Amino acid sequence: MAAATTPAKRRTLGQIIRRLLLIDLFKGLALTFRYNARALYEPRDGGNPLQAIYTEQYPKELARVSERFRGAPRLNLDPENGASLCIACDLCAVVCPVDCIEVGSIRREVRDGDKVNKKKVLTTFIFDTSRCMFCNLCVEACPTDCLELTQSFELAVYHRSGFRWDREMLEKGINYVRYTK
Ligand code: SF4
Ligand code: SF4
């Protein structure tokens, strides 16, 4: 059975005139102009008050991310003596669902007063940012608040090998090239 065809809707005279005079186009342009005109006298928070730009000027200015954003990993140091807070317990590596953390350690004799104890000492730490899904499980498992996912989102690298952050990168962070033009 042939499908029934619906007759094309006839345009009213008002709609035809509206089309001919490009009314909808001018309405759209007026709305755009209203937003742009506002940008001329409403400077953006934290931006140059004399320059009313309302788009984010990245990389000149770092984009703001939400408080709960999880980005680049960091290994925190003790603020008093600069020593690593990591006790090489391996909990972060064990809990990671995608195995992107490798903790290296050795057992060393550590003198505590008259006593000499054997203690695990961190030697290497690898964090593969290409595999991480930023679930935060490793941070929650860390007993010393050493491991942290910071608000830095600049994780792009030129080569695949750059995704593997070693202990030095995790402790000192990355020196990004800042373009100012
Ligand atoms: S955030 Fe999740 S995926 Fe990334 S290293 Fe930690 S546990 Fe693994
Ligand atoms: S859980 Fe924390 S203390 Fe333990 S190995 Fe990982 S970063 Fe170090």
Side-chain angles (χ1 to χ4, degrees), residues 10-40:
R10 287 231 174 128
R11 290 204 178 89
T12 62
L13 183 64
Q15 284 172 327
I16 294 171
I17 292 173
R18 204 181 162 88
R19 278 204 149 198
L20 286 174
L21 296 179
L22 304 175
I23 300 291
D24 291 331
L25 174 70
F26 286 117
K27 268 176 86 177
L29 286 174
L31 185 69
T32 307
F33 178 75
R34 224 170 43 234
Y35 278 110
N36 280 287
R38 217 161 61 196
L40 293 174

PDB file of all heavy atoms in Angstrom, residues 10-40:
ATOM      1  N   ARG A  10       1.078  25.570   3.729  1.00  0.00           N
ATOM      2  CA  ARG A  10       1.157  26.858   3.027  1.00  0.00           C
ATOM      3  C   ARG A  10       1.620  27.926   3.998  1.00  0.00           C
ATOM      4  O   ARG A  10       1.208  27.961   5.141  1.00  0.00           O
ATOM      5  CB  ARG A  10      -0.211  27.216   2.483  1.00  0.00           C
ATOM      6  CG  ARG A  10      -0.603  26.389   1.298  1.00  0.00           C
ATOM      7  CD  ARG A  10      -1.042  27.326   0.210  1.00  0.00           C
ATOM      8  NE  ARG A  10      -1.292  26.594  -1.007  1.00  0.00           N
ATOM      9  CZ  ARG A  10      -2.414  26.692  -1.686  1.00  0.00           C
ATOM     10  NH1 ARG A  10      -3.353  27.476  -1.266  1.00  0.00           N
ATOM     11  NH2 ARG A  10      -2.566  26.021  -2.793  1.00  0.00           N
ATOM     12  N   ARG A  11       2.518  28.790   3.526  1.00  0.00           N
ATOM     13  CA  ARG A  11       2.977  29.884   4.382  1.00  0.00           C
ATOM     14  C   ARG A  11       1.956  31.009   4.340  1.00  0.00           C
ATOM     15  O   ARG A  11       1.363  31.282   3.288  1.00  0.00           O
ATOM     16  CB  ARG A  11       4.319  30.402   3.897  1.00  0.00           C
ATOM     17  CG  ARG A  11       5.441  29.432   4.136  1.00  0.00           C
ATOM     18  CD  ARG A  11       6.774  30.141   4.208  1.00  0.00           C
ATOM     19  NE  ARG A  11       7.806  29.161   4.495  1.00  0.00           N
ATOM     20  CZ  ARG A  11       8.452  28.486   3.554  1.00  0.00           C
ATOM     21  NH1 ARG A  11       8.203  28.702   2.300  1.00  0.00           N
ATOM     22  NH2 ARG A  11       9.359  27.598   3.884  1.00  0.00           N
ATOM     23  N   THR A  12       1.796  31.640   5.487  1.00  0.00           N
ATOM     24  CA  THR A  12       0.877  32.787   5.514  1.00  0.00           C
ATOM     25  C   THR A  12       1.594  33.986   4.917  1.00  0.00           C
ATOM     26  O   THR A  12       2.833  33.999   4.788  1.00  0.00           O
ATOM     27  CB  THR A  12       0.463  33.117   6.957  1.00  0.00           C
ATOM     28  OG1 THR A  12       1.647  33.473   7.661  1.00  0.00           O
ATOM     29  CG2 THR A  12      -0.212  31.947   7.631  1.00  0.00           C
ATOM     30  N   LEU A  13       0.843  34.993   4.602  1.00  0.00           N
ATOM     31  CA  LEU A  13       1.428  36.208   4.011  1.00  0.00           C
ATOM     32  C   LEU A  13       2.423  36.847   4.983  1.00  0.00           C
ATOM     33  O   LEU A  13       3.507  37.306   4.603  1.00  0.00           O
ATOM     34  CB  LEU A  13       0.299  37.190   3.656  1.00  0.00           C
ATOM     35  CG  LEU A  13       0.766  38.466   2.954  1.00  0.00           C
ATOM     36  CD1 LEU A  13       1.373  38.151   1.598  1.00  0.00           C
ATOM     37  CD2 LEU A  13      -0.380  39.459   2.798  1.00  0.00           C
ATOM     38  N   GLY A  14       2.055  36.820   6.286  1.00  0.00           N
ATOM     39  CA  GLY A  14       2.936  37.402   7.312  1.00  0.00           C
ATOM     40  C   GLY A  14       4.296  36.698   7.344  1.00  0.00           C
ATOM     41  O   GLY A  14       5.338  37.342   7.454  1.00  0.00           O
ATOM     42  N   GLN A  15       4.259  35.360   7.219  1.00  0.00           N
ATOM     43  CA  GLN A  15       5.527  34.598   7.241  1.00  0.00           C
ATOM     44  C   GLN A  15       6.370  34.914   6.012  1.00  0.00           C
ATOM     45  O   GLN A  15       7.582  35.021   6.094  1.00  0.00           O
ATOM     46  CB  GLN A  15       5.230  33.104   7.303  1.00  0.00           C
ATOM     47  CG  GLN A  15       4.801  32.648   8.684  1.00  0.00           C
ATOM     48  CD  GLN A  15       4.327  31.194   8.680  1.00  0.00           C
ATOM     49  OE1 GLN A  15       3.755  30.727   7.688  1.00  0.00           O
ATOM     50  NE2 GLN A  15       4.543  30.513   9.785  1.00  0.00           N
ATOM     51  N   ILE A  16       5.700  35.077   4.894  1.00  0.00           N
ATOM     52  CA  ILE A  16       6.445  35.383   3.660  1.00  0.00           C
ATOM     53  C   ILE A  16       7.118  36.749   3.778  1.00  0.00           C
ATOM     54  O   ILE A  16       8.312  36.918   3.462  1.00  0.00           O
ATOM     55  CB  ILE A  16       5.498  35.332   2.431  1.00  0.00           C
ATOM     56  CG1 ILE A  16       5.022  33.884   2.226  1.00  0.00           C
ATOM     57  CG2 ILE A  16       6.194  35.835   1.183  1.00  0.00           C
ATOM     58  CD1 ILE A  16       3.948  33.721   1.207  1.00  0.00           C
ATOM     59  N   ILE A  17       6.376  37.717   4.291  1.00  0.00           N
ATOM     60  CA  ILE A  17       6.953  39.066   4.439  1.00  0.00           C
ATOM     61  C   ILE A  17       8.122  39.027   5.418  1.00  0.00           C
ATOM     62  O   ILE A  17       9.177  39.629   5.194  1.00  0.00           O
ATOM     63  CB  ILE A  17       5.865  40.058   4.920  1.00  0.00           C
ATOM     64  CG1 ILE A  17       4.837  40.236   3.804  1.00  0.00           C
ATOM     65  CG2 ILE A  17       6.468  41.399   5.304  1.00  0.00           C
ATOM     66  CD1 ILE A  17       3.635  41.051   4.180  1.00  0.00           C
ATOM     67  N   ARG A  18       7.932  38.276   6.509  1.00  0.00           N
ATOM     68  CA  ARG A  18       8.986  38.133   7.530  1.00  0.00           C
ATOM     69  C   ARG A  18      10.252  37.565   6.895  1.00  0.00           C
ATOM     70  O   ARG A  18      11.363  37.990   7.200  1.00  0.00           O
ATOM     71  CB  ARG A  18       8.446  37.171   8.590  1.00  0.00           C
ATOM     72  CG  ARG A  18       9.060  37.298   9.945  1.00  0.00           C
ATOM     73  CD  ARG A  18       8.417  36.253  10.853  1.00  0.00           C
ATOM     74  NE  ARG A  18       9.247  36.064  12.005  1.00  0.00           N
ATOM     75  CZ  ARG A  18       9.132  36.795  13.104  1.00  0.00           C
ATOM     76  NH1 ARG A  18       8.238  37.746  13.170  1.00  0.00           N
ATOM     77  NH2 ARG A  18       9.941  36.577  14.121  1.00  0.00           N
ATOM     78  N   ARG A  19      10.085  36.608   6.025  1.00  0.00           N
ATOM     79  CA  ARG A  19      11.241  35.989   5.356  1.00  0.00           C
ATOM     80  C   ARG A  19      11.921  36.976   4.425  1.00  0.00           C
ATOM     81  O   ARG A  19      13.143  37.074   4.378  1.00  0.00           O
ATOM     82  CB  ARG A  19      10.791  34.779   4.547  1.00  0.00           C
ATOM     83  CG  ARG A  19      10.654  33.563   5.408  1.00  0.00           C
ATOM     84  CD  ARG A  19      10.799  32.334   4.593  1.00  0.00           C
ATOM     85  NE  ARG A  19      11.373  31.267   5.367  1.00  0.00           N
ATOM     86  CZ  ARG A  19      11.937  30.190   4.859  1.00  0.00           C
ATOM     87  NH1 ARG A  19      12.012  30.062   3.556  1.00  0.00           N
ATOM     88  NH2 ARG A  19      12.435  29.263   5.617  1.00  0.00           N
ATOM     89  N   LEU A  20      11.081  37.659   3.646  1.00  0.00           N
ATOM     90  CA  LEU A  20      11.633  38.595   2.663  1.00  0.00           C
ATOM     91  C   LEU A  20      12.417  39.726   3.332  1.00  0.00           C
ATOM     92  O   LEU A  20      13.443  40.188   2.831  1.00  0.00           O
ATOM     93  CB  LEU A  20      10.501  39.185   1.802  1.00  0.00           C
ATOM     94  CG  LEU A  20       9.913  38.238   0.755  1.00  0.00           C
ATOM     95  CD1 LEU A  20       8.711  38.866   0.072  1.00  0.00           C
ATOM     96  CD2 LEU A  20      10.972  37.876  -0.285  1.00  0.00           C
ATOM     97  N   LEU A  21      11.930  40.156   4.474  1.00  0.00           N
ATOM     98  CA  LEU A  21      12.596  41.284   5.165  1.00  0.00           C
ATOM     99  C   LEU A  21      13.705  40.818   6.113  1.00  0.00           C
ATOM    100  O   LEU A  21      14.293  41.614   6.830  1.00  0.00           O
ATOM    101  CB  LEU A  21      11.556  42.102   5.939  1.00  0.00           C
ATOM    102  CG  LEU A  21      10.490  42.796   5.085  1.00  0.00           C
ATOM    103  CD1 LEU A  21       9.511  43.542   5.965  1.00  0.00           C
ATOM    104  CD2 LEU A  21      11.124  43.763   4.087  1.00  0.00           C
ATOM    105  N   LEU A  22      13.979  39.538   6.137  1.00  0.00           N
ATOM    106  CA  LEU A  22      15.059  38.950   6.964  1.00  0.00           C
ATOM    107  C   LEU A  22      14.903  39.321   8.449  1.00  0.00           C
ATOM    108  O   LEU A  22      15.876  39.615   9.142  1.00  0.00           O
ATOM    109  CB  LEU A  22      16.434  39.415   6.460  1.00  0.00           C
ATOM    110  CG  LEU A  22      16.753  39.135   4.999  1.00  0.00           C
ATOM    111  CD1 LEU A  22      18.070  39.736   4.614  1.00  0.00           C
ATOM    112  CD2 LEU A  22      16.779  37.634   4.728  1.00  0.00           C
ATOM    113  N   ILE A  23      13.664  39.297   8.921  1.00  0.00           N
ATOM    114  CA  ILE A  23      13.389  39.705  10.302  1.00  0.00           C
ATOM    115  C   ILE A  23      14.139  38.821  11.299  1.00  0.00           C
ATOM    116  O   ILE A  23      14.772  39.305  12.236  1.00  0.00           O
ATOM    117  CB  ILE A  23      11.872  39.642  10.610  1.00  0.00           C
ATOM    118  CG1 ILE A  23      11.099  40.573   9.683  1.00  0.00           C
ATOM    119  CG2 ILE A  23      11.576  39.974  12.076  1.00  0.00           C
ATOM    120  CD1 ILE A  23      11.299  42.039   9.897  1.00  0.00           C
ATOM    121  N   ASP A  24      14.090  37.481  11.102  1.00  0.00           N
ATOM    122  CA  ASP A  24      14.733  36.566  12.055  1.00  0.00           C
ATOM    123  C   ASP A  24      16.236  36.766  12.086  1.00  0.00           C
ATOM    124  O   ASP A  24      16.867  36.681  13.137  1.00  0.00           O
ATOM    125  CB  ASP A  24      14.399  35.109  11.700  1.00  0.00           C
ATOM    126  CG  ASP A  24      12.939  34.809  11.963  1.00  0.00           C
ATOM    127  OD1 ASP A  24      12.372  35.450  12.867  1.00  0.00           O
ATOM    128  OD2 ASP A  24      12.367  33.961  11.269  1.00  0.00           O
ATOM    129  N   LEU A  25      16.815  37.032  10.909  1.00  0.00           N
ATOM    130  CA  LEU A  25      18.255  37.273  10.849  1.00  0.00           C
ATOM    131  C   LEU A  25      18.620  38.500  11.681  1.00  0.00           C
ATOM    132  O   LEU A  25      19.544  38.476  12.503  1.00  0.00           O
ATOM    133  CB  LEU A  25      18.692  37.472   9.395  1.00  0.00           C
ATOM    134  CG  LEU A  25      20.148  37.867   9.211  1.00  0.00           C
ATOM    135  CD1 LEU A  25      21.059  36.703   9.564  1.00  0.00           C
ATOM    136  CD2 LEU A  25      20.415  38.315   7.782  1.00  0.00           C
ATOM    137  N   PHE A  26      17.847  39.582  11.500  1.00  0.00           N
ATOM    138  CA  PHE A  26      18.157  40.808  12.242  1.00  0.00           C
ATOM    139  C   PHE A  26      17.920  40.630  13.739  1.00  0.00           C
ATOM    140  O   PHE A  26      18.636  41.189  14.562  1.00  0.00           O
ATOM    141  CB  PHE A  26      17.339  41.981  11.693  1.00  0.00           C
ATOM    142  CG  PHE A  26      17.857  42.444  10.363  1.00  0.00           C
ATOM    143  CD1 PHE A  26      17.091  42.374   9.217  1.00  0.00           C
ATOM    144  CD2 PHE A  26      19.157  42.934  10.253  1.00  0.00           C
ATOM    145  CE1 PHE A  26      17.580  42.783   7.987  1.00  0.00           C
ATOM    146  CE2 PHE A  26      19.663  43.341   9.028  1.00  0.00           C
ATOM    147  CZ  PHE A  26      18.878  43.272   7.886  1.00  0.00           C
ATOM    148  N   LYS A  27      16.949  39.789  14.100  1.00  0.00           N
ATOM    149  CA  LYS A  27      16.709  39.530  15.533  1.00  0.00           C
ATOM    150  C   LYS A  27      17.925  38.835  16.141  1.00  0.00           C
ATOM    151  O   LYS A  27      18.385  39.151  17.234  1.00  0.00           O
ATOM    152  CB  LYS A  27      15.458  38.661  15.712  1.00  0.00           C
ATOM    153  CG  LYS A  27      14.192  39.481  15.894  1.00  0.00           C
ATOM    154  CD  LYS A  27      12.992  38.604  15.976  1.00  0.00           C
ATOM    155  CE  LYS A  27      12.736  38.106  17.367  1.00  0.00           C
ATOM    156  NZ  LYS A  27      11.486  37.307  17.407  1.00  0.00           N
ATOM    157  N   GLY A  28      18.452  37.861  15.387  1.00  0.00           N
ATOM    158  CA  GLY A  28      19.649  37.137  15.851  1.00  0.00           C
ATOM    159  C   GLY A  28      20.839  38.063  15.983  1.00  0.00           C
ATOM    160  O   GLY A  28      21.581  38.019  16.969  1.00  0.00           O
ATOM    161  N   LEU A  29      21.009  38.930  14.977  1.00  0.00           N
ATOM    162  CA  LEU A  29      22.140  39.873  15.025  1.00  0.00           C
ATOM    163  C   LEU A  29      22.007  40.842  16.193  1.00  0.00           C
ATOM    164  O   LEU A  29      22.994  41.197  16.845  1.00  0.00           O
ATOM    165  CB  LEU A  29      22.221  40.647  13.704  1.00  0.00           C
ATOM    166  CG  LEU A  29      22.750  39.863  12.514  1.00  0.00           C
ATOM    167  CD1 LEU A  29      22.650  40.683  11.241  1.00  0.00           C
ATOM    168  CD2 LEU A  29      24.192  39.433  12.736  1.00  0.00           C
ATOM    169  N   ALA A  30      20.765  41.243  16.478  1.00  0.00           N
ATOM    170  CA  ALA A  30      20.547  42.178  17.584  1.00  0.00           C
ATOM    171  C   ALA A  30      20.932  41.532  18.910  1.00  0.00           C
ATOM    172  O   ALA A  30      21.557  42.156  19.775  1.00  0.00           O
ATOM    173  CB  ALA A  30      19.078  42.617  17.609  1.00  0.00           C
ATOM    174  N   LEU A  31      20.594  40.237  19.047  1.00  0.00           N
ATOM    175  CA  LEU A  31      20.936  39.519  20.283  1.00  0.00           C
ATOM    176  C   LEU A  31      22.461  39.423  20.431  1.00  0.00           C
ATOM    177  O   LEU A  31      23.016  39.681  21.500  1.00  0.00           O
ATOM    178  CB  LEU A  31      20.310  38.127  20.243  1.00  0.00           C
ATOM    179  CG  LEU A  31      20.478  37.306  21.506  1.00  0.00           C
ATOM    180  CD1 LEU A  31      19.661  37.906  22.638  1.00  0.00           C
ATOM    181  CD2 LEU A  31      20.051  35.861  21.280  1.00  0.00           C
ATOM    182  N   THR A  32      23.142  39.067  19.338  1.00  0.00           N
ATOM    183  CA  THR A  32      24.603  38.971  19.362  1.00  0.00           C
ATOM    184  C   THR A  32      25.210  40.320  19.728  1.00  0.00           C
ATOM    185  O   THR A  32      26.134  40.414  20.543  1.00  0.00           O
ATOM    186  CB  THR A  32      25.125  38.532  17.980  1.00  0.00           C
ATOM    187  OG1 THR A  32      24.448  37.363  17.595  1.00  0.00           O
ATOM    188  CG2 THR A  32      26.613  38.274  18.002  1.00  0.00           C
ATOM    189  N   PHE A  33      24.671  41.370  19.129  1.00  0.00           N
ATOM    190  CA  PHE A  33      25.205  42.705  19.397  1.00  0.00           C
ATOM    191  C   PHE A  33      25.008  43.076  20.865  1.00  0.00           C
ATOM    192  O   PHE A  33      25.875  43.662  21.488  1.00  0.00           O
ATOM    193  CB  PHE A  33      24.531  43.742  18.494  1.00  0.00           C
ATOM    194  CG  PHE A  33      25.020  45.129  18.760  1.00  0.00           C
ATOM    195  CD1 PHE A  33      26.276  45.531  18.312  1.00  0.00           C
ATOM    196  CD2 PHE A  33      24.260  46.040  19.487  1.00  0.00           C
ATOM    197  CE1 PHE A  33      26.752  46.798  18.568  1.00  0.00           C
ATOM    198  CE2 PHE A  33      24.731  47.302  19.755  1.00  0.00           C
ATOM    199  CZ  PHE A  33      25.974  47.700  19.292  1.00  0.00           C
ATOM    200  N   ARG A  34      23.862  42.676  21.429  1.00  0.00           N
ATOM    201  CA  ARG A  34      23.588  43.008  22.832  1.00  0.00           C
ATOM    202  C   ARG A  34      24.657  42.390  23.739  1.00  0.00           C
ATOM    203  O   ARG A  34      25.174  43.019  24.646  1.00  0.00           O
ATOM    204  CB  ARG A  34      22.204  42.511  23.219  1.00  0.00           C
ATOM    205  CG  ARG A  34      21.471  43.554  24.011  1.00  0.00           C
ATOM    206  CD  ARG A  34      20.009  43.345  24.290  1.00  0.00           C
ATOM    207  NE  ARG A  34      19.591  42.024  24.692  1.00  0.00           N
ATOM    208  CZ  ARG A  34      18.635  41.356  24.066  1.00  0.00           C
ATOM    209  NH1 ARG A  34      18.063  41.862  22.996  1.00  0.00           N
ATOM    210  NH2 ARG A  34      18.255  40.183  24.502  1.00  0.00           N
ATOM    211  N   TYR A  35      25.006  41.132  23.480  1.00  0.00           N
ATOM    212  CA  TYR A  35      26.025  40.461  24.298  1.00  0.00           C
ATOM    213  C   TYR A  35      27.384  41.119  24.099  1.00  0.00           C
ATOM    214  O   TYR A  35      28.134  41.334  25.041  1.00  0.00           O
ATOM    215  CB  TYR A  35      26.110  38.977  23.938  1.00  0.00           C
ATOM    216  CG  TYR A  35      25.045  38.164  24.638  1.00  0.00           C
ATOM    217  CD1 TYR A  35      23.988  37.612  23.934  1.00  0.00           C
ATOM    218  CD2 TYR A  35      25.100  37.957  26.011  1.00  0.00           C
ATOM    219  CE1 TYR A  35      23.008  36.883  24.565  1.00  0.00           C
ATOM    220  CE2 TYR A  35      24.123  37.222  26.648  1.00  0.00           C
ATOM    221  CZ  TYR A  35      23.074  36.684  25.922  1.00  0.00           C
ATOM    222  OH  TYR A  35      22.116  35.964  26.564  1.00  0.00           O
ATOM    223  N   ASN A  36      27.710  41.438  22.845  1.00  0.00           N
ATOM    224  CA  ASN A  36      29.028  42.035  22.570  1.00  0.00           C
ATOM    225  C   ASN A  36      29.129  43.438  23.147  1.00  0.00           C
ATOM    226  O   ASN A  36      30.179  43.838  23.635  1.00  0.00           O
ATOM    227  CB  ASN A  36      29.290  42.059  21.063  1.00  0.00           C
ATOM    228  CG  ASN A  36      29.742  40.707  20.586  1.00  0.00           C
ATOM    229  OD1 ASN A  36      30.858  40.306  20.856  1.00  0.00           O
ATOM    230  ND2 ASN A  36      28.870  39.980  19.930  1.00  0.00           N
ATOM    231  N   ALA A  37      28.039  44.181  23.084  1.00  0.00           N
ATOM    232  CA  ALA A  37      28.054  45.539  23.618  1.00  0.00           C
ATOM    233  C   ALA A  37      28.295  45.495  25.121  1.00  0.00           C
ATOM    234  O   ALA A  37      29.023  46.313  25.671  1.00  0.00           O
ATOM    235  CB  ALA A  37      26.730  46.224  23.306  1.00  0.00           C
ATOM    236  N   ARG A  38      27.723  44.484  25.784  1.00  0.00           N
ATOM    237  CA  ARG A  38      27.906  44.353  27.236  1.00  0.00           C
ATOM    238  C   ARG A  38      29.377  44.112  27.567  1.00  0.00           C
ATOM    239  O   ARG A  38      29.878  44.608  28.554  1.00  0.00           O
ATOM    240  CB  ARG A  38      27.047  43.211  27.753  1.00  0.00           C
ATOM    241  CG  ARG A  38      26.469  43.522  29.105  1.00  0.00           C
ATOM    242  CD  ARG A  38      25.300  42.681  29.435  1.00  0.00           C
ATOM    243  NE  ARG A  38      25.634  41.268  29.465  1.00  0.00           N
ATOM    244  CZ  ARG A  38      24.727  40.307  29.423  1.00  0.00           C
ATOM    245  NH1 ARG A  38      23.462  40.611  29.337  1.00  0.00           N
ATOM    246  NH2 ARG A  38      25.065  39.049  29.474  1.00  0.00           N
ATOM    247  N   ALA A  39      30.047  43.366  26.697  1.00  0.00           N
ATOM    248  CA  ALA A  39      31.462  43.063  26.940  1.00  0.00           C
ATOM    249  C   ALA A  39      32.324  44.317  26.883  1.00  0.00           C
ATOM    250  O   ALA A  39      33.440  44.334  27.386  1.00  0.00           O
ATOM    251  CB  ALA A  39      31.948  42.045  25.935  1.00  0.00           C
ATOM    252  N   LEU A  40      31.820  45.386  26.251  1.00  0.00           N
ATOM    253  CA  LEU A  40      32.612  46.611  26.142  1.00  0.00           C
ATOM    254  C   LEU A  40      32.702  47.358  27.468  1.00  0.00           C
ATOM    255  O   LEU A  40      33.626  48.097  27.716  1.00  0.00           O
ATOM    256  CB  LEU A  40      32.006  47.529  25.076  1.00  0.00           C
ATOM    257  CG  LEU A  40      32.096  47.014  23.648  1.00  0.00           C
ATOM    258  CD1 LEU A  40      31.342  47.932  22.713  1.00  0.00           C
ATOM    259  CD2 LEU A  40      33.541  46.905  23.211  1.00  0.00           C
TER     260      LEU A  40
END
